[in-house]
Amino acid sequence: MDWNPDEPPEAGDPLVTTASDTPSVRDALRLVQDELAGAADGLQDDQLTALVTEIQQAGRVFVTGGGRSGLALRMHAMRLMHLGLTVHVVGETTTPAIGSGDLLLVASGSGTTGGAVAAAETAVSVDARVVALTTDGGSTLAGIAHRVVVIPAAQKTDHGGTASRQYSGSLFEQALLLVLDATFHTLWTVDGTPAEDLWPRHANLE
């Protein structure tokens, strides 16, 4: 539901308070849940299917993204490793060069983050595939990528409160993590490997 700061809130809106009460974590949870549900409803099935297919067909998977988007992709990299895929986090000292037949998953809410755009350009130049996850399907990053997953959420510089009442791109980063976890679950379901057979791949040096 869009929110206009120039209009008075309606009764029942998340985080609406009276003089006698204050916002609660429970109110904030409802807001986050509602916004995530709206973002999920706006995802395109064909784009999600293409994401799964690209991962299935990749020789190796590389992931990159800045800030909290990058953290979500690192979590996804761990799950793909648990599934038995060869996966690398861009920027780690042991990450090899990307090449033909590989896949780069890159996330940027705006689709203009310098590091994300540069990584995508490099990947394309060596005949690797690129899937971009962004809020802007017309962005520079989206134009470079072979496949795009548009996540309908506010960019971090959107402070108007219309796309999201949360702070600085939070909805995009939350929805990104859900999309990636749902992608892993789909891949795992298709693969059919029992959970107990994945477990030995969990880190044992921590």
Side-chain angles (χ1 to χ4, degrees):
M1 177 177 62
D2 291 347
W3 175 70
N4 187 340
D6 297 324
E7 295 179 358
E10 298 178 358
D13 279 357
L15 296 184
V16 173
T17 63
T18 66
S20 62
D21 60 24
T22 57
S24 70
V25 173
R26 179 62 61 187
D27 294 329
L29 280 170
R30 293 191 186 100
L31 170 65
V32 172
Q33 289 171 339
D34 289 345
E35 290 195 349
L36 280 172
D41 287 343
L43 292 164
Q44 300 299 308
D45 288 341
D46 59 332
Q47 295 179 357
L48 298 174
T49 299
L51 170 59
V52 170
T53 301
E54 291 284 350
I55 294 174
Q56 289 173 323
Q57 295 177 347
R60 300 175 299 177
V61 178
F62 293 70
V63 304
T64 189
R68 284 162 46 111
S69 298
L71 292 175
L73 279 165
R74 291 171 75 95
M75 294 171 68
H76 187 53
M78 176 187 288
R79 284 292 184 252
L80 294 182
M81 177 273 292
H82 291 156
L83 196 56
L85 278 66
T86 300
V87 57
H88 299 284
V89 176
V90 174
E92 296 295 323
T93 56
T94 57
T95 298
I98 195 170
S100 177
D102 294 332
L103 172 66
L104 176 67
L105 299 180
V106 54
S108 167
S110 66
T112 60
T113 306
V117 171
E121 289 174 336
T122 298
V124 170
S125 73
V126 296
D127 201 28
R129 300 282 294 178
V130 176
V131 174
L133 300 107
T134 180
T135 66
D136 187 355
S139 64
T140 302
L141 180 61
I144 297 169
H146 300 92
R147 301 284 190 176
V148 179
V149 177
V150 176
I151 297 177
Q155 299 179 18
K156 66 175 58 179
T157 55
D158 179 3
H159 299 153
T162 53
S164 173
R165 293 178 61 190
Q166 298 184 69
Y167 173 71
S168 189
S170 291
L171 178 58
F172 170 72
E173 295 144 0
Q174 294 158 357
L176 172 64
L177 179 57
L178 290 183
V179 167
L180 294 174
D181 270 357
T183 298
F184 163 77
H185 189 79
T186 302
L187 290 164
W188 180 34
T189 301
V190 172
D191 180 77
T193 303
E196 56 268 24
D197 291 346
L198 300 186
W199 183 251
R201 299 191 181 114
H202 279 254
N204 60 3
L205 294 176
E206 297 176 339

